Amino acid sequence: MYRSIRFLLLVVFMAAGRLSLFAADVDITAYGAVGNGTTLNTDAIQKAIDACYKSGGGKVVIPTGVFLTGTIALNDNITLELKKGAVLLGSTDVNDYKNLDPFVDGLGISVGWALVVAVDKKNVGIEGEGLIDGQGSKLKAQQILTDTRPESQRWGRRPFLLRVVRCQNVSVTGVTLNYSAAWTSHYFQCKQVNIKNVKIVSRGVAHNDGMDIDGCQDVTINDCDVVSGDDALCFKTTSSKMACKDIVISGLRLKSGQGAIKIGTESMAPFENISISQCYIYDTTNGGIKLLSVDGARINNINISDITMVEVKTPILIRLGARLSVFRKDQDTQQAIGALENVTIRNIKAKAADNAQLMPPSGILITGIPDHPIKNLVLENIEINLAGGGTNENARQVVPEAIDKYPEVKTFGPLVPAYGVWARHVDGLKLKNVKFTLSHNDLRPAFICEDGKNIELNSWVIPETTSAQAIIRLENVARAHINNNTVSGSANAFVLVEGKASQDIHILKNKLSGISKKVELSADLKAGTAISDHD
């Protein structure tokens, strides 16, 4: 018995020693890497990764220095550690990059080349105080010397900075990701992803997305700082086979040349159970919060809260459409029209940019398509400062349906007829504690709803305007409650009701001053429409 116990202990100690040995750090310079910024180290770094993997995994260390490289591929149980002062510098020659998982993006371009990549791996990570620099502008300048295709086609050949594909247990912490030649970081169909204290500065060429979370599950992102030329934080589903769900995000600082927080545009599989909170968005030129299902996805159970925006063009865009693109044509087929429902956005403070995509600017655009309304959307505790400047003519602007078009704010231009909230094809829209302020008079309504059901406006604070036709306009709206709102200024009517389908409108306990009529009905409604007015 004693000898058996001694043998068992010896085996345990030997196993522990082997695990400790296998987890030893591997320095890339031991495999010939030179940190002088000019020697191409792709093979040396890959040899270090492969050796670490064969010995059981561990850390592959990038020491202080500038290490030029093309594509390097991580393996199971590998963490790439960038020491303080370490720079992993991307080659400016597109031929130094590989595409280990090709696909087509939302614009129809073949993409997928990358600098650092992991495909079908477990337990992979990147950490440390160093940085990865893709030299995007220099790579583009070098590429166009020999690639004579139009820019709209050739950009896809440029590499992403980081791609993590179908991996499990992924950690990216502490590092800085700079100047990608395309998307900065793309996580596709991964599970158990943790991203923390990452800084991204990626501008200078087109398509510089910051973080793309594509069909991933069980994701946390905390305390990151993103400055991106394109979308800063973007959720995608470029495949119909895996939903983007169970995601918690907080503490992000975002600056974007496009959208700061975006779900879609690529949107084949569902987006579900996503929570985003405590984010600061600034100097963003094409939308603060954008929720877009246009390729068949169901967007469901999304909660966005406690967001501050400063100098953001069009704070909120919510769109259900029917573009119905396919991005992996050898693996997928076109989906049916999706759904957008059960979304709550609350505690939003925004200073909208005076110069916006749509002029004069508007705060919130919400639109489904005929027979496919956006359902059960709640906007609560919303405060937006806007430039104003709309005219009576602007108040009657007809907005294109654009059913199968790319879902962008400018798609619905040149302007929308409400300065505050314009909503179309909605069912179950609730707007509570909404406050707008205007720098200039605006003759457009604060709220317009076209083709709506079960609409609630409660406890709005509507700024002083003069000479508007109406503060609120309802067109073909059934079952609306407009209660406890405070209106300053003057207008011909508080609520203008139009459209033969309008009925069951309740207007209760509103504080009005300077309003000629509480309710005005269009000529085709003056007989028989149920209107309840108890102010």
Short mmCIF file of all heavy atoms in Angstrom, two decimals, residues 416-437:
data_model
loop_
_atom_site.label_atom_id
_atom_site.label_comp_id
_atom_site.label_asym_id
_atom_site.label_seq_id
_atom_site.Cartn_x
_atom_site.Cartn_y
_atom_site.Cartn_z
N VAL A 416 -36.34 64.09 -42.96
CA VAL A 416 -37.61 63.50 -42.52
C VAL A 416 -38.49 64.60 -41.93
O VAL A 416 -37.98 65.63 -41.47
CB VAL A 416 -37.40 62.34 -41.51
CG1 VAL A 416 -36.64 61.20 -42.16
CG2 VAL A 416 -36.69 62.81 -40.25
N PRO A 417 -39.80 64.41 -41.93
CA PRO A 417 -40.71 65.52 -41.63
C PRO A 417 -40.93 65.81 -40.15
O PRO A 417 -41.72 66.71 -39.83
CB PRO A 417 -42.01 65.08 -42.30
CG PRO A 417 -41.95 63.59 -42.30
CD PRO A 417 -40.51 63.25 -42.49
N ALA A 418 -40.27 65.11 -39.24
CA ALA A 418 -40.34 65.40 -37.81
C ALA A 418 -38.95 65.73 -37.30
O ALA A 418 -37.97 65.09 -37.69
CB ALA A 418 -40.92 64.22 -37.05
N TYR A 419 -38.84 66.70 -36.40
CA TYR A 419 -37.52 67.00 -35.86
C TYR A 419 -37.14 66.07 -34.72
O TYR A 419 -35.96 65.81 -34.50
CB TYR A 419 -37.42 68.47 -35.43
CG TYR A 419 -38.22 68.86 -34.19
CD1 TYR A 419 -37.78 68.54 -32.91
CD2 TYR A 419 -39.40 69.59 -34.30
CE1 TYR A 419 -38.51 68.92 -31.78
CE2 TYR A 419 -40.12 69.98 -33.19
CZ TYR A 419 -39.68 69.64 -31.93
OH TYR A 419 -40.39 70.00 -30.82
N GLY A 420 -38.12 65.56 -33.99
CA GLY A 420 -37.82 64.74 -32.81
C GLY A 420 -37.81 63.25 -33.11
O GLY A 420 -36.74 62.64 -33.22
N VAL A 421 -38.99 62.67 -33.27
CA VAL A 421 -39.12 61.25 -33.57
C VAL A 421 -40.01 61.09 -34.80
O VAL A 421 -41.15 61.57 -34.82
CB VAL A 421 -39.73 60.46 -32.39
CG1 VAL A 421 -39.89 58.99 -32.75
CG2 VAL A 421 -38.90 60.62 -31.13
N TRP A 422 -39.49 60.43 -35.81
CA TRP A 422 -40.29 60.04 -36.97
C TRP A 422 -40.37 58.52 -36.98
O TRP A 422 -39.35 57.82 -36.97
CB TRP A 422 -39.64 60.54 -38.27
CG TRP A 422 -40.34 60.02 -39.50
CD1 TRP A 422 -41.51 60.46 -40.04
CD2 TRP A 422 -39.90 58.95 -40.35
NE1 TRP A 422 -41.84 59.74 -41.16
CE2 TRP A 422 -40.86 58.80 -41.37
CE3 TRP A 422 -38.79 58.11 -40.32
CZ2 TRP A 422 -40.74 57.83 -42.37
CZ3 TRP A 422 -38.66 57.15 -41.31
CH2 TRP A 422 -39.63 57.02 -42.33
N ALA A 423 -41.61 57.99 -36.96
CA ALA A 423 -41.81 56.54 -36.87
C ALA A 423 -42.81 56.10 -37.93
O ALA A 423 -43.83 56.76 -38.16
CB ALA A 423 -42.33 56.17 -35.48
N ARG A 424 -42.51 54.94 -38.56
CA ARG A 424 -43.38 54.41 -39.62
C ARG A 424 -43.39 52.89 -39.52
O ARG A 424 -42.36 52.27 -39.27
CB ARG A 424 -42.87 54.86 -40.99
CG ARG A 424 -43.71 54.38 -42.16
CD ARG A 424 -43.27 55.02 -43.47
NE ARG A 424 -41.91 54.64 -43.84
CZ ARG A 424 -41.24 55.17 -44.85
NH1 ARG A 424 -41.80 56.14 -45.59
NH2 ARG A 424 -40.03 54.79 -45.14
N HIS A 425 -44.58 52.30 -39.71
CA HIS A 425 -44.74 50.84 -39.66
C HIS A 425 -44.27 50.32 -38.30
O HIS A 425 -43.27 49.59 -38.18
CB HIS A 425 -43.99 50.16 -40.80
CG HIS A 425 -44.26 50.72 -42.15
ND1 HIS A 425 -45.53 50.91 -42.63
CD2 HIS A 425 -43.41 51.14 -43.13
CE1 HIS A 425 -45.47 51.42 -43.86
NE2 HIS A 425 -44.20 51.58 -44.17
N VAL A 426 -45.00 50.70 -37.25
CA VAL A 426 -44.67 50.31 -35.88
C VAL A 426 -45.91 49.80 -35.18
O VAL A 426 -47.04 50.21 -35.48
CB VAL A 426 -44.05 51.48 -35.09
CG1 VAL A 426 -42.68 51.84 -35.64
CG2 VAL A 426 -44.97 52.70 -35.09
N ASP A 427 -45.70 48.91 -34.22
CA ASP A 427 -46.78 48.35 -33.42
C ASP A 427 -46.26 48.18 -31.99
O ASP A 427 -45.31 47.43 -31.76
CB ASP A 427 -47.21 46.99 -33.99
CG ASP A 427 -48.43 46.41 -33.28
OD1 ASP A 427 -48.85 46.95 -32.24
OD2 ASP A 427 -48.96 45.39 -33.78
N GLY A 428 -46.87 48.90 -31.05
CA GLY A 428 -46.41 48.80 -29.68
C GLY A 428 -45.25 49.73 -29.36
O GLY A 428 -44.36 49.38 -28.59
N LEU A 429 -45.27 50.94 -29.94
CA LEU A 429 -44.21 51.92 -29.69
C LEU A 429 -44.58 52.73 -28.45
O LEU A 429 -45.62 53.37 -28.39
CB LEU A 429 -44.07 52.84 -30.91
CG LEU A 429 -43.11 54.01 -30.77
CD1 LEU A 429 -41.68 53.52 -30.56
CD2 LEU A 429 -43.19 54.92 -31.99
N LYS A 430 -43.67 52.71 -27.46
CA LYS A 430 -43.88 53.46 -26.22
C LYS A 430 -42.75 54.46 -26.05
O LYS A 430 -41.57 54.08 -26.06
CB LYS A 430 -43.92 52.51 -25.03
CG LYS A 430 -45.08 51.53 -25.07
CD LYS A 430 -45.10 50.63 -23.83
CE LYS A 430 -46.28 49.66 -23.88
NZ LYS A 430 -46.32 48.77 -22.69
N LEU A 431 -43.13 55.73 -25.89
CA LEU A 431 -42.16 56.82 -25.75
C LEU A 431 -42.46 57.55 -24.44
O LEU A 431 -43.47 58.25 -24.33
CB LEU A 431 -42.27 57.77 -26.93
CG LEU A 431 -42.05 57.11 -28.31
CD1 LEU A 431 -42.64 57.96 -29.42
CD2 LEU A 431 -40.58 56.90 -28.56
N LYS A 432 -41.58 57.38 -23.45
CA LYS A 432 -41.83 57.90 -22.11
C LYS A 432 -40.73 58.86 -21.68
O LYS A 432 -39.55 58.58 -21.87
CB LYS A 432 -41.89 56.75 -21.10
CG LYS A 432 -42.90 55.66 -21.43
CD LYS A 432 -42.82 54.52 -20.41
CE LYS A 432 -43.78 53.40 -20.74
NZ LYS A 432 -43.68 52.27 -19.76
N ASN A 433 -41.13 59.98 -21.09
CA ASN A 433 -40.17 60.95 -20.55
C ASN A 433 -39.15 61.35 -21.61
O ASN A 433 -37.94 61.15 -21.47
CB ASN A 433 -39.45 60.38 -19.32
CG ASN A 433 -40.40 60.09 -18.18
OD1 ASN A 433 -41.32 60.87 -17.91
ND2 ASN A 433 -40.20 58.98 -17.50
N VAL A 434 -39.66 61.90 -22.68
CA VAL A 434 -38.82 62.36 -23.79
C VAL A 434 -38.76 63.88 -23.77
O VAL A 434 -39.79 64.55 -23.66
CB VAL A 434 -39.37 61.86 -25.13
CG1 VAL A 434 -38.56 62.42 -26.29
CG2 VAL A 434 -39.37 60.34 -25.18
N LYS A 435 -37.55 64.42 -23.89
CA LYS A 435 -37.37 65.87 -23.86
C LYS A 435 -36.49 66.30 -25.02
O LYS A 435 -35.40 65.75 -25.22
CB LYS A 435 -36.74 66.31 -22.54
CG LYS A 435 -36.51 67.82 -22.45
CD LYS A 435 -35.89 68.21 -21.11
CE LYS A 435 -35.67 69.72 -21.04
NZ LYS A 435 -35.07 70.11 -19.73
N PHE A 436 -36.96 67.27 -25.78
CA PHE A 436 -36.16 67.86 -26.84
C PHE A 436 -35.92 69.33 -26.52
O PHE A 436 -36.77 70.02 -25.95
CB PHE A 436 -36.88 67.76 -28.19
CG PHE A 436 -37.01 66.35 -28.69
CD1 PHE A 436 -38.24 65.70 -28.66
CD2 PHE A 436 -35.91 65.66 -29.18
CE1 PHE A 436 -38.37 64.40 -29.12
CE2 PHE A 436 -36.03 64.36 -29.63
CZ PHE A 436 -37.26 63.72 -29.60
N THR A 437 -34.73 69.82 -26.91
CA THR A 437 -34.47 71.25 -26.91
C THR A 437 -33.99 71.63 -28.30
O THR A 437 -33.37 70.82 -29.00
CB THR A 437 -33.41 71.64 -25.87
OG1 THR A 437 -32.20 70.89 -26.09
CG2 THR A 437 -33.90 71.34 -24.45
#
